[in-house]
Structures are given as C-alpha cells and as structure tokens.
Amino acid sequence: GECSAFKERFMECLRHSGYESAACRQRAMAYLECRMDRRVQLMANEPLEKLGFKDLINEKSEEKPEK
C-alpha cells in the first residue's frame, strides 16, 4: 500500500481522460518511480528513459532552478 496514493491519482486521471493514457503520463511516471524507490523491491529499478519517459525527465530537469 505504500504507492496506493500514486496509483489512485493515476487511475483518477485515466477515468477523467476517458482512459487516454497519454494524458496521464506524469502520474504514471510518479507511480512507477514510487514502486522502484521502495526498499521492498515492488518493482525492479529501470531507467525511466527505458520505460518511455525520457521526454518527461527532460521537462523535469528544465523546471529545476540552477544553483
């Protein structure tokens, strides 16, 4: 249940978008990150680029202010 909040937000997005998964990619990525980050190995660690989120990762890094 550690990632259930992420899963629920993703599922809610799917319901609101008529199950258009492309509209919910940010939430899908957050859910997968949660699963990979948990110490109990809910999911094997894979680079998010390999899972099809390279464009979202680039957006994330552009949003971060430089130090």
Side-chain angles (χ1 to χ4, degrees):
E2 295 179 54
C3 298
S4 60
F6 290 96
K7 182 183 95 174
E8 187 51 43
R9 285 193 286 269
F10 173 62
M11 295 304 295
E12 182 180 322
C13 180
L14 285 176
R15 287 189 291 274
H16 287 299
S17 69
Y19 294 91
E20 180 60 46
S21 62
C24 304
R25 290 182 68 230
Q26 287 279 3
R27 291 182 181 172
M29 185 175 76
Y31 174 56
L32 292 175
E33 282 181 308
C34 176
R35 291 187 58 94
M36 288 187 291
D37 288 345
R38 296 304 175 252
R39 305 235 185 271
V40 292
Q41 294 289 324
L42 294 174
M43 179 180 174
N45 268 336
E46 288 288 338
L48 290 169
E49 294 89 353
K50 244 178 114 173
L51 297 174
F53 295 105
K54 183 175 182 169
D55 59 322
L56 296 180
I57 293 166
N58 290 339
E59 287 175 15
K60 243 179 156 179
S61 63
E62 289 172 4
E63 290 174 5
K64 290 182 182 177
E66 292 190 28
K67 293 182 180 181

